[in-house]
Amino acid sequence: MGVVTVGELKTSISGKRSFRPSSTIRHAATEWPISDVSSDVTIEIGASSFALHKFPLVSRSGRIRRLLIEAKDATISRMNLSLIPGGPEAFELAAKFCYGINIEITLLNVAMLRCAAHFLEMTEEFVQKNLEARTEAYLKDTVLPNISNSISVLHRCECLSPVSEEINLVNRLINAIANNACKEQLASGLLKLDHNFPMKTMPNIEPETPSDWWGKSLSVLNLEFFQRVLTAVKSKGLKQDMISKILINYTHNSLQGLVIRDPHIVRGSLLDMELQKKQRVIVEAMVSLLPTQSRRSSVPMAFLSSLLKTAIASSASTSCRSDLERRIGLLLDQAILEDILIPANSYGNNHGTMYDTESILRIFSIFLNLDEDDDEDNRMRDESEMAYDFDSPGSPKQSSILKVSKLLDTYLAEIALDTNLLPSKFIALAELLPDHARIISDGLYRAVDIFLKVHPNIKDSERYRLCKTIDCQKLSQEACSHAAQNERLPVQMAVQVLYFEQIRLRNAMNGGHNQFFFGTINSQFPQRSSSGAGSGAISPRDNYASVRRENRELKLEVARMRMRLTDLEKDHVSMKQELDQ
């Protein structure tokens, strides 16, 4: 360029920026060129204004050239370009470029410069290596081949709409992220394959980069762009476990800032409702992006539970909650108590209960009504698996049901402490499991006992129906002893417990196996016999003495039970006479 004169961009007292010529000669390439010619056009962008010269601008910008040509007044000196993407910052860099200054293109400014170049029509039609070509070269060489760079530039596009969409920059960045992510996944898979074959491994292999390193950086994107990126990587074949990790990370970061930390904020206030709305939008979006429902889903139960809790608290759509309930129902045998303690939505909670029992009722019903043939994963089973008896003891399904039955009994014991819980809600859950789901009813008995203790004033009819959910034949000896002396139970149940316990004791004294109570269970789950000579280690005389001691103890227990039974029968007759009167 040779020797050039330089002018500086100064800020006036009014706050507007204008070009002020300087008489000194400077060679710094990053400063404006000095000109002895006063400015002949002022570009206004919002509250900023730039006093510049027409010639360098029209030599590179087709838009400014066209506006000057179309102007009726040939001496036009002011021009408004407030719609330029990137605002004054982008225009200042573009203007410097028009003056021949070598501007630095970076990840922070390439998006706005590319959009500004399109807006100002700085194409090859006017001069070679114009701003549009320069930014395109940077995108192709530095941005698009790299996932992290693409995500960073995509984040900058969020405030450059609609121009960034018009020039297809957003879609190009999203496709680049998806393609590179899948290439990285393939490369990672090949590297693991090489490790399985020592003959192919290469010396001095560098430690493998975690496959989800780029997924965490997606948390900087707004919800719309994140959805589009995740949809793209799913369509390209990214693994579901990877998608799950990305979703969990983004959801955690997005919802973390929406938790109300100020105790003085009143529920139902404008701020509270706004936070609730933001939570609802995020949760519904995340649910729509979850992988296909499956019993082999890679989405952790704890994450699904958290989503459901937030969905209920934020009054998410019915379809959103139903989707989450079904996903949890499919994986219910993997849940712990914390996962199903879903707080009730205080906005729509008429009875003021602590937990959302309706949602849990649907979740358990989904699990119990699972049709193995409808599960897409089971279509891959071979003939031997298809012939497996899924209702037999020890089968995968029966094992899962036993886990779920224990979970339900533990849940019932927890919600029984809620004084506002209606008996009908508790009974509906207690009656949900089929008979074969509980091998022993001690957990249910404990939950019922807690409920009766916390709700002493329930109707006798409800008390009786509540106790009917307990199968007295499946109570352990300890539970029977407790129930026989439990004054909170109806007389009918106490009599029933004593009757079955008496039969159990009689069978035990006769030396027979208790087929009435646990015969089928013992046959289903035979106990392991001791190995070696252990089975014959006790002499016949010692064995006989032991049996006699046990018989004496059982006779004493039977005597106590009979006395208790007689007292209860007297009470029962007395109560009946009072009712008849």
Side-chain angles (χ1 to χ4, degrees), residues 387-400 402 436 524-525:
Y388 200 98
D389 184 2
F390 276 84
D391 288 322
S392 65
S395 71
K397 183 177 179 182
Q398 180 66 12
S399 174
S400 297
L402 293 178
H436 68 275
Q524 290 173 0
F525 298 97

Side-chain angles (χ1 to χ4, degrees), residues 369-410:
N369 294 324
L370 283 180
D371 186 355
E372 299 290 340
D373 294 332
D374 290 341
D375 192 344
E376 62 178 15
D377 293 327
N378 287 306
R379 295 175 188 171
M380 305 301 293
R381 291 181 296 172
D382 58 25
E383 293 181 1
S384 62
E385 289 180 299
M386 290 293 286
Y388 200 98
D389 184 2
F390 276 84
D391 288 322
S392 65
S395 71
K397 183 177 179 182
Q398 180 66 12
S399 174
S400 297
I401 288 179
L402 293 178
K403 289 180 183 178
V404 169
S405 69
K406 291 180 181 179
L407 179 66
L408 179 58
D409 290 346
T410 307

Side-chain angles (χ1 to χ4, degrees), residues 179-344:
N179 289 331
N180 290 327
C182 292
K183 287 179 183 178
E184 184 177 282
Q185 176 178 271
L186 180 61
S188 176
L190 291 174
L191 182 61
K192 291 178 181 178
L193 185 63
D194 285 341
H195 283 308
N196 292 331
F197 296 93
M199 65 183 69
K200 295 184 178 181
T201 56
M202 298 180 65
N204 302 324
I205 295 180
E206 296 182 359
E208 184 180 354
T209 304
S211 59
D212 61 341
W213 66 270
W214 61 269
K216 294 180 180 179
S217 60
L218 289 174
S219 59
V220 302
L221 300 178
N222 64 20
L223 186 58
E224 179 192 352
F225 280 7
F226 176 78
Q227 286 179 282
R228 291 168 65 177
V229 169
L230 213 64
T231 301
V233 296
K234 286 173 69 175
S235 66
K236 296 290 184 180
L238 193 69
K239 292 180 180 178
Q240 289 196 354
D241 59 342
M242 183 65 179
I243 292 173
S244 299
K245 291 179 182 178
I246 295 172
L247 275 172
I248 293 170
N249 182 73
Y250 187 88
T251 305
H252 174 75
N253 290 325
S254 300
L255 294 177
Q256 195 173 27
L258 299 181
V259 178
I260 298 177
R261 294 185 174 87
D262 188 352
H264 299 292
I265 294 179
V266 181
R267 291 193 67 82
S269 64
L270 188 61
L271 178 58
D272 181 47
M273 296 296 288
E274 185 65 24
L275 290 174
Q276 189 188 42
K277 181 181 178 181
K278 290 180 179 179
Q279 287 180 337
R280 181 168 60 248
V281 170
I282 292 172
V283 170
E284 290 179 352
M286 295 303 102
V287 172
S288 68
L289 294 171
L290 287 171
T292 306
Q293 291 183 1
S294 168
R295 294 210 66 186
R296 298 181 183 177
S297 173
S298 58
V299 184
M301 169 62 72
F303 178 63
L304 294 174
S305 173
S306 298
L307 279 181
L308 180 58
K309 292 172 183 177
T310 308
I312 292 174
S314 61
S315 301
S317 65
T318 303
S319 61
C320 173
R321 296 198 300 269
S322 298
D323 186 288
L324 287 170
E325 287 173 359
R326 175 156 181 80
R327 290 177 184 276
I328 294 174
L330 290 171
L331 305 174
L332 191 57
D333 54 339
Q334 302 176 21
I336 60 175
L337 179 61
E338 181 63 28
D339 295 330
I340 61 172
L341 286 177
I342 310 293

Side-chain angles (χ1 to χ4, degrees), residues 10-21:
K10 297 292 184 180
T11 303
S12 64
I13 296 176
S14 63
K16 296 184 178 182
R17 300 198 291 181
S18 59
F19 179 81
R20 190 173 71 182

Side-chain angles (χ1 to χ4, degrees), residues 506-522:
R506 184 182 297 124
N507 288 338
M509 284 190 298
N510 292 334
H513 295 289
N514 191 356
Q515 296 292 334
F516 190 84
F517 287 93
F518 299 105
T520 55
I521 296 171
N522 291 333

Side-chain angles (χ1 to χ4, degrees), residues 151-197:
I151 293 173
S152 177
V153 175
L154 181 62
H155 176 47
R156 301 287 169 179
C157 289
E158 294 172 359
C159 58
L160 298 172
S161 183
V163 177
S164 58
E165 298 283 2
E166 292 174 1
I167 62 176
N168 205 35
L169 178 59
V170 172
N171 284 334
R172 288 168 63 197
L173 290 167
I174 290 174
N175 288 333
I177 294 170
N179 289 331
N180 290 327
C182 292
K183 287 179 183 178
E184 184 177 282
Q185 176 178 271
L186 180 61
S188 176
L190 291 174
L191 182 61
K192 291 178 181 178
L193 185 63
D194 285 341
H195 283 308
N196 292 331
F197 296 93

